[in-house]
Amino acid sequence: MRTFYGKFVKRLLDVACSAFLLVALSPVFAALALLVAVRLGRPVIFRQERPGRDGRIFEMYKFRTMTDGRAGDGELLPDADRLTSFGEALRRASLDELPELINILKGDMSFVGPRPLLVRYLTRYSPEQARRHEVRPGLTGLAQANGRNAVDWPRKFQYDVWYVDHLSFSLDIKILVMTVRSVAKREGISQDGNATMEEFKGNSDDE
């Protein structure tokens, strides 16, 4: 991140490309928003706090993919029970991620970087794993390019930290190309037995 690219060029490219895509894809945004409203209801945008660079909290935007289905006691049903076939289709094509272009334009995220995880995970990282927050989180990252949600947590964090230490323009381009291939092949959409991935509960003593 100390390179000229990491300090200056990467952010300039993020701003230029996200602004262009937000304009160019505005008809797609409008169509998806209408479909989500009809199929899943409102609000069409799912908002959730996530930790960004240096652990600073920001609000991440995605298209909604789940219903508000609740059990008799009023508690939300498990993710797998609320994820509809329409929502699953959005996830397979990664179309639910498009609103994150707004996060990129705002400076919360980058096109490439470790994926922003849940705020509650912050206290569960080892010092080495926490280094993933030395850069802006990404729309995609090295772990996503190498299996998406099918990659286990230890390996995912190894990819994240390796990216932090080797950040470069050529690596970002490689990751973007690999991600497109992964999405086209519909690989690693979810981990076995989970709607996305199992919860990260911290590191066991033998890790």
Side-chain angles (χ1 to χ4, degrees):
M1 195 59 184
R2 297 176 182 176
T3 64
F4 182 77
Y5 170 73
K7 286 184 177 180
F8 304 107
V9 179
K10 184 175 172 71
R11 178 61 189 147
L12 290 175
L13 289 175
D14 282 341
V15 171
C17 292
S18 61
F20 170 78
L21 289 173
L22 282 168
V23 174
L25 296 177
S26 56
V28 177
F29 271 81
L32 286 174
L34 178 60
L35 285 171
V36 171
V38 171
R39 301 293 294 273
L40 298 173
R42 297 178 181 275
V44 299
I45 298 295
F46 170 74
R47 302 165 181 253
Q48 188 175 58
E49 289 189 337
R50 298 289 177 97
R53 185 177 178 182
D54 299 324
R56 290 192 294 268
I57 307 301
F58 71 95
E59 192 172 56
M60 188 179 77
Y61 311 126
K62 298 176 72 171
F63 277 122
R64 181 178 180 179
T65 58
M66 296 184 183
T67 68
D68 287 328
R70 296 178 182 272
D73 59 3
E75 291 293 320
L76 284 172
L77 294 170
D79 288 356
D81 295 332
R82 295 187 294 118
L83 180 62
T84 66
S85 57
F86 171 70
E88 190 174 4
L90 288 181
R91 290 188 180 190
R92 282 199 303 268
S94 292
L95 292 173
D96 62 316
E97 310 280 357
L98 284 180
E100 289 169 41
L101 289 171
I102 300 171
N103 290 121
I104 295 174
L105 185 63
K106 289 172 58 182
D108 301 324
M109 296 176 61
S110 176
F111 276 97
V112 181
R115 282 293 293 167
L117 300 176
L118 299 177
V119 173
R120 65 174 178 267
Y121 292 176
L122 283 172
T123 59
R124 303 177 187 178
Y125 298 133
S126 69
E128 181 69 4
Q129 292 168 347
R131 293 190 58 226
R132 69 193 308 279
H133 294 295
E134 291 178 12
V135 298
R136 286 186 178 88
L139 183 65
T140 187
L142 190 58
Q144 283 62 46
N146 284 280
R148 297 170 79 180
N149 289 320
V151 180
D152 62 28
W153 285 116
R155 186 63 173 163
K156 186 186 293 287
F157 294 139
Q158 288 173 10
Y159 280 132
D160 291 343
V161 176
W162 192 92
Y163 174 80
V164 170
D165 290 334
H166 297 83
L167 189 156
S168 68
F169 176 72
S170 60
L171 179 59
D172 279 359
I173 294 299
K174 181 179 180 180
I175 290 171
L176 288 170
V177 171
M178 291 172 66
T179 299
V180 171
R181 290 175 180 170
S182 179
V183 171
K185 293 179 180 179
R186 299 183 178 181
E187 296 175 339
I189 298 167
S190 62
Q191 199 173 55
D192 290 343
N194 295 277
T196 50
M197 275 201 73
E198 65 178 348
E199 181 174 354
F200 174 61
K201 298 180 180 179
N203 299 283
S204 61
D205 293 337
D206 58 349
E207 287 183 345

